[in-house]
Amino acid sequence: MGTVHDFLFAPFIDFGFMQRALFGALLLCLSSCPMGVFLMLRRMSLTGDAMAHAILPGAAVGFLFYGLQIVPMTIGGLIAGVVVALGAGAVSRLTIQKEDASMAAFYLISLALGVLIVSIRGSNVDLMHVLFGTVLALNNDALTLIALICGITLVLLAIFWRALVAECMDPLFLRSVSRLGTPVHFVFLGLVVLNLVGGFQALGTLLSVGLMMLPAAAARFWCSRVGTMCLVATAIGMAASVVGLLLSYHLSLPSGPAIILSAGVAYLLSMIFGTRGVVQDRMRRYRHRTA
Amino acid sequence: MSQNCLTFNDLTLGYHSHPAVHHLTGAVRAGSLTAVIGANGSGKSTLMKGIVGILKPLAGAIERDPASRIAYLPQQSELDKSFPARVTDLVSLGLWPRRGLLGRHTAEDRASVDKALSGVGLEGFGNRTIDTLSGGQMQRALFARVLVQDADLILLDEPFNAIDSRTVTDLVALIKRWHGEKRTILVVVHDLELVREHFPEALLLARQPVAWGDTSKVLAPGNLLRARQFHEAWDENAPWCAPQSDHHHGDHDHHDHARHHKGAA
């Protein structure tokens, strides 16, 4: 029993930085995994990726003026993300261009700008920090920020749940009974940005998307209702966070990639063994009922 | 006014400043059942979108009692069949006008959803996921949603496309029930036999309104011939449609605008 204790619990009990990392990652899962589910259901899975890149120049401007500090980098990232989300959303709603194209245009501009800004001042090591995060170095400011983002997300999600589901399931219907369609879309994009900015401290701009999308994609193989899908995605995300942190501790791996790879394994296992996964699907194909 | 559910005042709807519905004037009586007919591209669906408010008029106006509840079943539904939801969840969307964003769905609401499902012959389908429904079953489910919406004005855009005759019979019976409940109904239909048999009034469109009124008169051979002779294609060099006497639309008495394309035949 001692070894189990040593392996599973001791790292979190003995080390403050591990506790913080765990706390931050779990909070992040609570809000960003449901976001990922809706992104996936709206066929915007890659939008999260694009948005994460879009945050970069904002964070980079913060970095340029204040160095590696959370508050300026977060505010910068938030501004850049909102500008890109609103810009891409507005272009798609006001012109003939679809959102994937406008999003691609905006995020590419943004990403190029971000890399340019970082390279003006920082070394490559700093760039790695921005890109791959520092979950083991979460300070109180960062934790407070993540908690705040989590709270805002959950409250807004609860308020707009019905509209968000309707907008995903049958947008034309929602337009015929309510004017909420467009506002809900922008609230949703705003929340995506907010969660990516939150994740960016813990996991970096690139990997924060992973914690958003991988659990959601995995949950798709287990559920047939959107509510349960959000819960399952959150559970998978949390499990991946715990496993990832433990692996990174015991094997001296970088924490961000360890968490995301754990989620990736969960995705692959779900795809194969999930109730709507490959194996079940194959089995069902050879058996059928009379009616 | 209280007799009319909808009033069109010299209404022009269209895309990229090309009209799809051109100078439509007339009124839809409250409690009437009207078939909207015409060739492909004659403006039927466009008119529906205009009434719902998804498409803004290029000119003229649609007047609708703002208190009236509207239910719209589009021709090309944007419904995502792969969305993880049960049939009950889909039909429950129809509770929106009553409960909105935050209102709780009561036991009564759930009962009305179940009743609607059995009303369209989908008892026992409630827990099925929507990706398992056939085309006809989906159309029944969408009718159930309209039932739940409990609307005063019901717009159905080609609801019988690719639907077998038994389902059409059931759905027509449902439409007639709504008609009996004094709801106002506009249905885009292609099958003229169906129109003759079940719809007391008809509006024949060929971009311009060709005829509007009693079905037997609207479907007279002369009208049908005229409706067939319209050019579906846009003319990029078509002259701008001259405004009637004024540029500032608005507070003029709309009878001044009533022009040679007067709606009622």
Side-chain angles (χ1 to χ4, degrees):
Chain A
M1 283 307 287
T3 50
V4 173
H5 178 270
D6 284 351
F7 188 81
L8 289 182
F9 302 112
F12 295 119
I13 294 167
D14 297 344
F15 296 100
F17 71 89
M18 284 293 280
Q19 280 170 21
R20 288 166 183 282
L22 182 69
F23 187 54
L26 293 184
L27 272 178
L28 207 57
C29 288
L30 211 54
S31 60
S32 76
C33 291
M35 287 291 110
V37 168
F38 280 102
L39 275 175
M40 175 186 64
L41 291 177
R42 312 193 74 174
R43 306 214 165 77
M44 291 169 71
S45 298
L46 293 174
T47 299
D49 215 1
M51 290 303 311
H53 291 72
I55 290 169
L56 194 63
V61 168
F63 171 74
L64 197 61
F65 286 109
Y66 298 95
L68 212 53
Q69 279 191 41
I70 177 161
V71 176
M73 287 178 73
T74 300
I75 293 173
L78 211 54
I79 293 171
V82 166
V83 166
V84 169
L86 285 181
V91 166
S92 77
R93 298 233 159 192
L94 299 178
T95 73
I96 52 161
Q97 188 151 63
K98 299 273 189 229
E99 190 144 17
D100 59 333
S102 59
M103 187 68 84
F106 272 85
Y107 104 76
L108 284 168
I109 295 169
S110 194
L111 178 62
L113 210 57
V115 173
L116 198 75
I117 293 169
V118 170
S119 66
I120 286 174
R121 155 108 179 254
S123 65
N124 280 341
V125 178
D126 292 328
L127 186 59
M128 289 296 279
H129 259 295
V130 175
L131 290 179
F132 297 110
T134 48
V135 71
L136 295 181
L138 282 181
N139 58 18
N140 280 343
D141 288 354
L143 277 184
T144 313
L145 181 82
I146 292 175
L148 203 66
I149 287 171
C150 179
I152 292 171
T153 305
L154 291 181
V155 168
L156 286 179
L157 199 58
I159 292 174
F160 288 105
W161 177 266
R162 196 177 285 167
L164 201 53
V165 168
E167 168 78 1
C168 289
M169 184 153 50
D170 195 347
L172 197 53
F173 172 80
L174 187 64
R175 275 172 79 187
S176 77
V177 294
S178 157
R179 290 173 195 278
L180 272 177
T182 302
V184 157
H185 183 67
F186 283 114
V187 167
F188 174 69
L189 283 181
L191 285 180
V192 170
V193 172
L194 205 57
N195 278 278
L196 288 173
V197 169
F200 136 85
Q201 260 306 304
L203 303 167
T205 42
L206 292 177
L207 294 175
S208 56
V209 191
L211 203 51
M212 195 176 268
M213 297 317 304
L214 278 169
R220 190 76 172 97
F221 293 111
W222 296 100
C223 319
S224 55
R225 296 194 65 190
V226 58
T228 39
M229 201 177 283
C230 287
L231 293 178
V232 169
T234 308
I236 291 175
M238 288 180 165
S241 302
V242 173
V243 172
L245 281 174
L246 284 174
L247 287 178
S248 101
Y249 176 85
H250 291 296
L251 304 177
S252 314
L253 300 172
S255 52
I259 292 174
I260 299 308
L261 280 177
S262 306
V265 169
Y267 169 75
L268 291 174
L269 291 177
S270 302
M271 181 190 63
I272 297 168
F273 300 109
T275 48
R276 318 189 104 204
V278 177
V279 172
Q280 286 286 319
D281 198 48
R282 291 276 148 180
M283 301 244 289
R284 229 173 276 139
R285 207 169 284 175
Y286 298 113
R287 290 192 309 162
H288 64 271
R289 299 181 198 277
T290 54
Chain B
M1 270 308 289
S2 64
Q3 282 303 300
N4 292 334
C5 179
L6 272 176
T7 313
F8 307 121
N9 291 329
D10 197 25
L11 172 71
T12 296
L13 294 161
Y15 310 90
H16 310 295
S17 58
H18 291 284
V21 172
H22 208 187
H23 299 302
L24 177 65
T25 296
V28 179
R29 246 180 336 99
S32 61
L33 170 56
T34 310
V36 181
I37 50 181
N40 286 333
S42 59
K44 308 181 297 295
S45 297
T46 305
L47 179 61
M48 294 286 166
K49 285 183 205 161
I51 297 170
V52 184
I54 292 173
L55 198 64
K56 297 275 168 271
L58 295 179
I62 302 172
E63 280 168 33
R64 171 162 72 88
D65 179 5
S68 69
R69 288 205 286 218
I70 191 164
Y72 169 54
L73 192 54
Q75 176 187 12
Q76 272 163 348
S77 175
E78 285 178 11
L79 179 76
D80 178 5
K81 278 189 84 168
S82 69
F83 189 86
R86 301 168 309 165
V87 176
T88 307
D89 300 326
L90 171 63
V91 177
S92 298
L93 284 181
L95 293 168
W96 188 289
R98 226 179 305 167
R99 297 291 171 237
L101 181 62
L102 295 170
R104 266 172 58 87
H105 289 178
T106 63
E108 202 182 324
D109 293 337
R110 282 190 289 275
S112 77
V113 168
D114 288 341
K115 207 175 129 203
L117 276 176
S118 57
V120 296
L122 286 181
E123 299 100 335
F125 277 71
N127 284 324
R128 287 261 297 263
T129 52
I130 55 176
D131 57 354
T132 64
L133 293 188
S134 74
Q137 288 163 348
M138 179 55 84
Q139 198 65 354
R140 284 172 188 264
L142 292 174
F143 265 70
R145 186 171 73 185
V146 174
L147 261 176
V148 171
Q149 276 183 266
D150 190 24
D152 312 302
L153 173 60
I154 298 173
L155 308 171
L156 308 171
D157 195 351
E158 303 206 14
F160 307 128
N161 270 7
I163 302 292
D164 68 13
S165 59
R166 193 183 123 202
T167 307
V168 169
T169 312
D170 288 354
L171 296 183
V172 165
L174 206 57
I175 290 173
K176 288 188 150 174
R177 201 181 100 199
W178 288 330
H179 184 45
E181 292 166 350
K182 298 286 173 234
R183 301 177 201 271
T184 313
I185 309 156
L186 287 168
V187 190
V188 176
V189 199
H190 270 299
D191 183 349
L192 295 184
E193 280 314 304
L194 204 71
V195 175
R196 280 200 184 89
E197 205 175 328
H198 300 290
F199 292 82
E201 285 168 55
L203 164 60
L204 178 56
L205 286 175
R207 189 170 306 147
Q208 334 273 357
V210 174
W212 190 357
D214 219 27
T215 299
S216 54
K217 287 182 191 134
V218 169
L219 292 184
N223 285 336
L224 292 177
L225 188 68
R226 271 206 293 149
R228 225 172 289 143
Q229 289 166 339
F230 95 105
H231 289 284
E232 192 182 336
W234 284 341
D235 183 356
E236 286 302 337
N237 299 316
W240 295 101
C241 190
Q244 279 309 95
S245 76
D246 66 309
H247 263 290
H248 28 273
H249 301 267
D251 48 8
H252 297 259
D253 189 301
H254 61 252
H255 291 297
D256 294 344
H257 292 263
R259 32 185 306 161
H260 47 289
H261 300 296
K262 218 177 173 100

